Amino acid sequence: MAEKVPISGGNIPNGYGSYPPAGGAGPGMNQGQGYPPPQGSTPSYHQGAPPPKEALARPNEEVEASAPPPDGLLDSLPGYTNIGFQGAFLPPPAYSEVAPAEPQNREAIRSVVTLTEEQAREAIIQFAAEHCCYGKGPAVEMKLNSLESSSAFHYTLETFGEGRSTKWKSQPYRGEGIIVTGPPPGAWDIQAQPGAMFQPSKLKVEVPNTASVKPCHVCHARGYKFCYSCMGSGRRECGMCNGTGRRSWYENGENIERPCGSCNFGWCTCFVCNGSGRIECYKCKGRASLRWYIELKITWKNHLEDHIVERTALPDELIRTVSGEVAFEETYPRRHRVRIVPVTQVAYSYKDMNSCFFVYGFEHRVHAPDYPAKCCCGCTVI
């Protein structure tokens, strides 16, 4: 049966799990002061020394709030004794690939369709048209001497991997119950499925039975920190009169001193804390307590390796950019496939030049490094 652990101000000492009532005593306060303080009140240290340095809010409090809590604050949970706050990857359990009960049927590899002379002519003309500085004449006038068709084989192997990491996380505690049903499950015992196989994705989940409520270590369970600008006093020295409460004017050839109209006897309300002397704790958002739990982050990644077998002078990397026919595809914990990409080497002669170009892929892309007219007179440079 699930055990619900109630959390209330009665279970946590005043000032360490809930707000002190307005007008009631709280840590670092005299009697008659609470949080928020009654209107018109000021923090108790006005009659004595300023608040301790660690109780002051600072502009870099966001950095301070990301610091881990002191040792011993968080619970030691079975299976998670060495967990940190930055996220540590966990080694997976022993894994053995399961072979299918019956081998999949593989169809015989079919020969790709060969290219005709007319198709080769259309491909080289289109190639010249796609390049603004290539003349179209050679593509139309060249003599196609021979066409040699072959196949390039593109083998790809995809391995779908899963990684898991855990770390402590916290959020302001807002009074929700904490349910504990027993020891937490192991990080690799939690069931989770990716959105789609062989597609990268991430998932973050809370590990069951790891939640607990602890006093905020940043504000020492106050819910606030004293203002760094006014040192918690709620007021600052007037910048117009330098705290004197009076200002001098020059009138009719003489200096006249009058009360400063910008302050109250040399002091102004602090604009950072609006006169309260306090700033809400960045970490607990004024709740004084934090709900801690272990977060499990699951990352699925697809690792791709490929290999190309192509026996002509066509650069291998071009095969990856065009489509072909999938000869076979098999999916186990790994997936692999073989694509057959048609390649035709076309030998041609143009005027006194003999060379060749390649037509590859179902798109009839052309690779012609020795095309005769790479610059034409009709080009205009802007």
Side-chain angles (χ1 to χ4, degrees):
M1 179 179 296
E3 176 188 355
K4 186 173 183 180
V5 182
I7 302 297
S8 65
N11 293 340
I12 301 177
N14 195 14
Y16 288 90
S18 61
Y19 288 134
M29 308 177 194
N30 288 339
Q31 294 293 333
Q33 294 179 336
Y35 183 63
Q39 186 173 6
S41 68
T42 55
S44 60
Y45 69 87
H46 277 178
Q47 291 90 32
K53 183 177 180 181
E54 63 271 11
L56 288 174
R58 302 176 187 71
N60 64 342
E61 187 171 358
E62 182 173 351
V63 177
E64 180 186 0
S66 64
D71 294 339
L73 178 66
L74 301 180
D75 299 333
S76 179
L77 301 173
Y80 298 92
T81 54
N82 296 323
I83 189 173
F85 298 90
Q86 303 301 321
F89 281 95
L90 307 175
Y95 172 78
S96 59
E97 184 172 316
V98 180
E102 297 181 0
Q104 298 185 11
N105 295 326
R106 297 179 180 176
E107 297 181 0
I109 297 179
R110 298 182 297 272
S111 299
V112 294
V113 179
T114 58
L115 198 72
T116 65
E117 183 174 329
E118 182 180 359
Q119 291 172 326
R121 178 77 66 181
E122 292 176 356
I124 192 64
I125 292 175
Q126 178 63 29
F127 170 77
E130 292 173 355
H131 295 75
C132 64
C133 293
Y134 282 22
K136 186 179 178 181
V140 176
E141 300 172 7
M142 66 175 52
K143 180 181 178 183
L144 306 184
N145 298 323
S146 64
L147 286 77
E148 297 182 8
S149 297
S150 61
S151 298
F153 295 87
H154 185 199
Y155 173 77
T156 58
L157 173 64
E158 296 179 76
T159 304
F160 198 47
E162 177 179 328
R164 297 194 175 197
S165 63
T166 55
K167 66 179 179 179
W168 280 108
K169 293 280 290 185
S170 67
Q171 57 187 209
Y173 177 64
R174 305 185 185 280
E176 62 271 23
I178 304 298
I179 298 177
V180 178
T181 60
W188 285 95
D189 295 330
I190 298 174
Q191 299 297 316
Q193 296 295 329
M197 291 295 292
F198 301 99
Q199 295 295 326
S201 60
K202 295 180 180 180
L203 177 65
K204 294 180 180 180
V205 297
E206 179 180 327
V207 178
N209 302 330
T210 61
S212 61
V213 177
K214 305 294 180 183
C216 179
H217 61 285
V218 173
C219 64
H220 302 283
R222 292 183 181 94
Y224 65 90
K225 300 197 80 173
F226 292 108
C227 178
Y228 64 88
S229 180
C230 64
M231 298 294 289
S233 67
R235 60 184 188 175
R236 298 188 63 182
E237 183 182 271
C238 176
M240 302 298 295
C241 66
N242 296 321
T244 64
R246 303 185 67 82
R247 298 176 62 187
S248 296
W249 279 267
Y250 185 79
E251 290 184 9
N252 300 325
E254 60 179 342
N255 289 323
I256 301 176
E257 190 176 83
R258 296 176 181 174
C260 178
S262 302
C263 65
N264 183 17
F265 302 107
W267 296 93
C268 299
T269 300
C270 177
F271 65 91
V272 175
C273 62
N274 294 322
S276 69
R278 302 171 181 178
I279 297 177
E280 182 184 82
C281 175
Y282 176 88
K283 186 71 172 179
C284 67
K285 305 299 183 185
R287 309 302 293 190
S289 297
L290 296 171
R291 179 182 182 273
W292 286 93
Y293 63 94
I294 295 178
E295 179 186 82
L296 171 64
K297 180 181 178 181
I298 307 174
T299 304
W300 288 280
K301 292 184 178 180
N302 195 45
H303 303 273
L304 178 65
E305 299 178 33
D306 70 337
H307 181 67
I308 296 174
V309 177
E310 209 284 310
R311 295 182 175 84
T312 70
L314 180 71
D316 288 349
E317 61 269 14
L318 297 179
I319 298 299
R320 297 186 179 94
T321 65
V322 293
S323 60
E325 182 179 354
V326 177
F328 75 89
E329 181 177 15
E330 295 176 343
T331 302
Y332 300 116
R334 296 181 176 89
R335 177 174 67 179
H336 63 159
R337 69 164 65 94
V338 173
R339 289 191 311 122
I340 303 177
V341 178
V343 177
T344 301
Q345 180 174 330
V346 182
Y348 69 88
S349 56
Y350 177 71
K351 295 182 178 178
D352 57 349
M353 175 183 181
N354 294 312
S355 187
C356 66
F357 62 88
F358 300 90
V359 182
Y360 59 99
F362 287 169
E363 298 87 352
H364 290 175
R365 299 286 297 275
V366 170
H367 176 66
D370 298 328
Y371 188 73
K374 290 186 178 181
C375 293
C376 63
C377 58
C379 291
T380 301
V381 179
I382 299 177

